[in-house]
Amino acid sequence: MTTSRPALPRRERRKLDVEPARKAPATELRTCIDVMHNWFIQDEEIDDVLDMVMGKESALLTPEELEELVPRLRKRLSQLLRIAAQRVTGERARKLAEVVIRLRQLDAMPAPQDFPQARGYARRLALATQDVLEVLDV
């Protein structure tokens, strides 16, 4: 036997008098995006991850730490690539294209299963990240 629940009270419909947001000029939007990109590029997270993978103490990495670092590095690298693609032109764009080709080759390879190969894979990702930062003149 089921019991019926009492109906919930309905809210009365209200019309809100709100002005639509004004459209921001493209130059203001570009400035805001550039500021956010600069914050991301200068974020210490990138430096921390690169230091863990390639720094003096990288030899002390455990397989578990490396397994956690590679996705973080990949995420940061993909965000840097998007920023670089929007910003670079000329000779720097050619250098960026070379980095992208190297990354596609890395992506085409299956993920390494043993620890030494996984560490080498992480270092190649870190080198590519440094190359993108160099292209961005950071």
Side-chain angles (χ1 to χ4, degrees):
M1 177 153 105
T2 62
T3 61
S4 64
R5 296 183 187 172
L8 295 174
R10 292 186 171 249
R11 291 189 221 173
E12 78 178 59
R13 294 185 182 253
R14 293 181 284 169
K15 178 152 171 78
L16 300 176
D17 286 331
V18 179
E19 288 182 35
R22 67 175 176 80
K23 291 185 178 180
T27 55
E28 283 182 34
L29 291 175
R30 182 83 242 147
T31 301
C32 290
I33 290 171
D34 285 343
V35 167
M36 288 188 289
H37 284 175
N38 288 337
W39 283 340
F40 178 79
I41 292 169
Q42 295 167 2
D43 187 8
E44 291 178 5
E45 168 77 10
I46 295 171
D47 293 333
D48 292 344
V49 172
L50 290 175
D51 189 49
M52 286 189 232
V53 173
M54 296 183 57
K56 291 179 182 178
E57 299 195 11
S58 65
L60 303 175
L61 277 175
T62 65
E64 294 79 23
E65 290 171 328
L66 189 62
E67 189 175 316
E68 184 263 332
L69 280 174
V70 168
R72 285 174 51 195
L73 185 57
R74 282 186 144 302
K75 181 179 177 182
R76 297 294 177 189
L77 180 56
S78 69
Q79 291 169 326
L80 283 173
L81 284 170
R82 276 188 237 118
I83 292 169
Q86 293 176 11
R87 288 188 173 189
V88 299
T89 57
E91 180 63 25
R92 294 186 321 163
R94 188 184 62 74
K95 289 179 182 178
L96 181 63
E98 291 171 5
V99 174
V100 169
I101 290 169
R102 284 194 346 242
L103 288 170
R104 285 188 179 154
Q105 291 170 345
L106 271 176
D107 284 341
M109 297 183 335
Q113 297 300 318
D114 69 328
F115 182 64
Q117 287 182 351
R119 187 177 9 211
Y121 179 80
R123 286 185 178 169
R124 287 192 299 274
L125 286 175
L127 286 170
T129 302
Q130 286 180 325
D131 289 346
V132 174
L133 288 170
E134 186 179 302
V135 167
L136 288 168
D137 287 332
V138 178

